[in-house]
Amino acid sequence: MACKNCGKKKEKHDLLYIMNPACGWCKRSDPVVQELVDAGYEITTLNLQDPSQAERANEAKSKHNARCGTPFFLDAETGNMICGFKPKEELEKWAKGEKIPAPPPRPNQQQPQQPQQPAIQLNKLEYIWLDGNENKGIRSKVKYLEINRTKIRSKDDLLKEMPEWSFDGSSTKQAAGEISDCVLKPVKVIPNSTDARGQMPSFIVLCEVYDHEGNPHKTNTRSRLREIAKESESHEMWFSIEQEYTLVDPVTYAPFGWDKFEDGAPGPQGDYYCGNGSSVAKGREIAEGHALSCVNSGIPIEGINAEVMLSQWEYQTKPKNPLDAADDLWVTRFLLQRLAERMGLSVSYDPKPVMGDWNGSGAHINFSTKYMREHADMGYMNLICASMEEHHKEAIEHYGVGNNRRLTGDHETSPIDKFSWGEMDRTASIRIPVTTVNNDGKGYLEDRRPAANVDPYEAFSHLLKVTNNINEELLIAT
């Protein structure tokens, strides 16, 4: 007698429960999910408030074109999904792999002809790139494109569907009017979490700029970082950024909320850093909304805080390889500027947005090599810092525009013409953080010199070349 099931492969499942602790329906779903887990079903809970878990959740949702909120139940292998709170009996069917039908239409809503999303879908693609200004700005334009979603199994598949595009380089300081066409080459696709739910799929398409002959444009600093990073792969260098910014009026450029104070300025610094309450914090809704947008777009944010000057904020990105870390910073800046735009505000990355007894804005770069993270000691870290002094002048050239107004030696900065380093010293060029000190020198260093408007592609290229050469010299010497 023939065996009916012999030779058949067992269907794979990857059951995900995507939730948010702030969601009331999630609180009702939590005990139901726990009952299923106790019954032997392997269900992974992904908390959207945890950056790493949110990244995995958004990748799974993007793969299967899922547009549900929380609670959401998704088989990441098969795409079988349930939106919203459901009783245990229905969730158990999902956990067993039974196909869950599309939800019924709302009252007075016509039944769609197809219960599933069509294979060919119209997508909103916002292409973004860096312009040719000395203080680089982010430009964007939108393309609407039909994509066969059945062909998309990964981020790379989606990227391959993104066509090249052109733009008028004479209007971005990247070409002359006689030969004005520049080319946008997509390099990364990110879900656009700032678009309203329920609309068509929306993505941010990060691009490099090429000239009309197919060569990387001279303003294409990402292309140069890509080459240098490839040459330096063996050092496994990581970067993260502490990005400071100021919310300002788009006409007067005065910090948000300052016009409410007598003489157009609040009281002296001292109470605003990590402050709470409307008298010492302005713009929290944008700062927190921005962090959530980044996480929902698959870009982890490690934290945010109000900064030393009123209406000044900071967010911290997750350590990554050079190219991904720099890409993350530019995309997070784009998301921030779009959110502020909706609120009628502008984002200033000026290194000294208000002259006088006020802190400036920086983009501190945390960096490390694999050797620094795993084998260094304090002696080694001090040698690294000392060796960076001879490259100080060159570093300043790559660390942003107008930094001379910020690096004065006051307001937690070092003088622009002097190099220094120290343990836990925020007045130094390079700070050795307490975590590195307490770990006997294993860890990372913080370069406090970069201005808030720094181009990370340019800054990381400099640090890669300098740090890798120093590391090699020190390793040979030791």
Side-chain angles (χ1 to χ4, degrees):
M1 180 181 293
C3 174
K4 292 182 179 180
N5 297 317
C6 292
K8 289 186 177 180
K9 292 184 178 179
K10 185 178 179 181
E11 190 175 39
K12 292 183 179 180
H13 297 280
D14 183 10
L15 304 179
L16 305 179
Y17 166 43
I18 300 172
M19 55 79 72
N20 187 327
C23 163
W25 288 109
C26 294
K27 294 176 182 177
R28 294 186 61 182
S29 297
D30 290 345
V32 179
V33 172
Q34 188 58 52
E35 285 184 38
L36 293 175
V37 171
D38 293 341
Y41 294 102
E42 295 184 4
I43 303 175
T44 301
T45 297
L46 297 180
N47 179 356
L48 290 182
Q49 291 190 0
D50 181 289
S52 61
Q53 295 182 29
E55 184 175 19
R56 183 183 173 192
N58 285 309
E59 286 179 357
K61 290 176 70 174
S62 177
K63 175 181 177 182
H64 297 288
N65 193 31
R67 307 291 290 178
C68 294
T70 56
F72 179 47
F73 304 87
L74 172 65
D75 187 333
E77 284 288 339
T78 67
N80 195 22
M81 64 183 76
I82 293 180
C83 298
F85 172 76
K86 293 294 184 293
K88 179 182 176 182
E89 295 74 19
E90 189 167 345
L91 287 180
E92 191 163 17
K93 292 179 181 179
W94 165 77
K96 289 178 178 178
E98 295 184 27
K99 185 66 178 177
I100 304 300
R106 296 176 180 176
N108 302 323
Q109 181 181 1
Q110 291 185 350
Q111 174 72 37
Q113 293 182 353
Q114 294 182 345
Q116 301 294 329
Q117 292 284 353
I120 306 297
Q121 280 188 299
L122 188 64
N123 292 256
K124 177 184 177 183
L125 310 174
E126 185 141 13
Y127 283 49
I128 69 171
W129 71 97
L130 304 185
D131 63 23
N133 286 309
E134 181 186 14
N135 185 11
K136 292 183 176 64
I138 305 171
R139 305 294 180 109
S140 72
K141 56 190 295 193
V142 174
K143 177 186 285 291
Y144 293 95
L145 182 70
E146 288 187 335
I147 297 176
N148 186 343
R149 300 291 295 181
T150 63
K151 296 166 57 178
I152 309 302
R153 293 289 181 268
S154 66
K155 289 182 178 180
D156 289 339
D157 290 341
L158 186 58
L159 180 60
K160 291 175 184 176
E161 295 294 315
M162 302 296 115
E164 293 183 4
W165 207 4
S166 63
F167 68 95
D168 173 15
S170 68
S171 297
T172 62
K173 296 187 178 180
Q174 289 169 299
E178 296 81 6
I179 307 178
S180 62
D181 282 8
C182 291
V183 178
L184 296 174
K185 288 183 178 287
V187 295
K188 191 167 289 187
V189 183
I190 303 101
N192 189 351
S193 60
T194 64
D195 266 356
R197 290 182 179 179
Q199 297 180 351
M200 69 183 70
S202 180
F203 298 94
I204 298 165
V205 183
L206 180 65
C207 300
E208 286 189 17
V209 177
Y210 280 66
D211 63 26
H212 67 283
E213 295 180 335
N215 303 308
H217 195 275
K218 62 182 181 181
T219 63
N220 185 350
T221 49
R222 187 183 190 276
S223 175
R224 291 197 286 275
L225 174 60
R226 180 158 34 85
E227 294 174 0
I228 294 170
K230 189 173 182 179
E231 296 171 358
S232 310
E233 283 180 339
S234 61
H235 293 285
E236 297 185 34
M237 199 160 183
W238 291 354
F239 293 92
S240 67
I241 296 280
E242 299 172 23
Q243 175 70 68
E244 295 175 336
Y245 63 93
T246 307
L247 297 172
V248 301
D249 183 283
V251 177
T252 66
Y253 294 100
F256 173 55
W258 282 35
D259 59 334
K260 305 297 183 183
F261 294 92
E262 188 176 352
D263 298 327
Q269 299 185 152
D271 295 329
Y272 308 125
Y273 174 70
C274 295
N276 291 280
S278 57
S279 63
V280 293
K282 303 291 183 183
R284 188 183 301 277
E285 184 176 353
I286 292 178
E288 292 189 342
H290 168 249
L292 185 59
S293 292
C294 292
V295 170
N296 287 338
S297 288
I299 302 177
I301 295 296
E302 297 222 311
I304 66 170
N305 60 269
E307 266 301 334
V308 178
M309 186 177 73
L310 186 65
S311 306
Q312 183 186 51
W313 291 83
E314 175 186 294
Y315 64 91
Q316 303 94 36
T317 63
K318 183 178 180 179
K320 290 187 178 181
N321 67 66
L323 211 55
D324 285 339
D327 287 347
D328 279 1
L329 187 65
W330 278 117
V331 175
T332 58
R333 285 176 175 176
F334 171 75
L335 291 171
L336 176 61
Q337 289 166 217
R338 292 300 285 271
L339 287 172
E341 179 184 316
R342 291 182 180 180
M343 301 291 287
L345 295 173
S346 289
V347 178
S348 173
Y349 304 107
D350 191 301
K352 191 70 174 179
V354 181
M355 297 304 293
D357 194 15
W358 299 100
N359 272 37
S361 296
H364 305 156
I365 298 176
N366 299 320
F367 65 95
S368 66
T369 62
K370 183 177 182 180
Y371 186 89
M372 290 164 66
R373 294 188 296 271
E374 298 180 1
H375 304 292
D377 54 26
M378 286 303 297
Y380 184 89
M381 287 302 205
N382 277 288
L383 282 172
I384 287 269
C385 293
S387 300
M388 294 179 73
E389 182 171 7
E390 64 179 288
H391 306 281
H392 175 65
K393 185 177 180 180
E394 179 187 357
I396 294 299
E397 295 173 357
H398 297 288
Y399 280 1
V401 179
N403 217 4
N404 57 300
R405 292 181 285 114
R406 168 178 163 263
L407 296 181
T408 62
D410 296 323
H411 305 110
E412 300 180 80
T413 69
S414 59
I416 194 168
D417 58 349
K418 294 182 180 179
F419 179 84
S420 60
W421 76 93
E423 297 178 11
M424 300 171 279
D425 187 353
R426 282 180 165 78
T427 68
S429 306
I430 305 291
R431 178 176 70 97
I432 306 176
V434 63
T435 53
T436 300
V437 174
N438 290 343
N439 198 31
D440 299 323
K442 297 179 183 66
Y444 69 94
L445 297 173
E446 178 194 39
D447 192 335
R448 297 180 56 81
R449 294 170 292 176
N453 59 21
V454 68
D455 174 4
Y457 298 133
E458 193 173 338
F460 292 178
S461 293
H462 167 76
L463 276 171
L464 272 172
K465 290 187 294 184
V466 169
T467 307
N468 288 338
N469 288 339
I470 291 173
N471 267 295
E472 290 174 1
E473 293 171 2
L474 292 178
L475 286 172
I476 292 172
T478 56

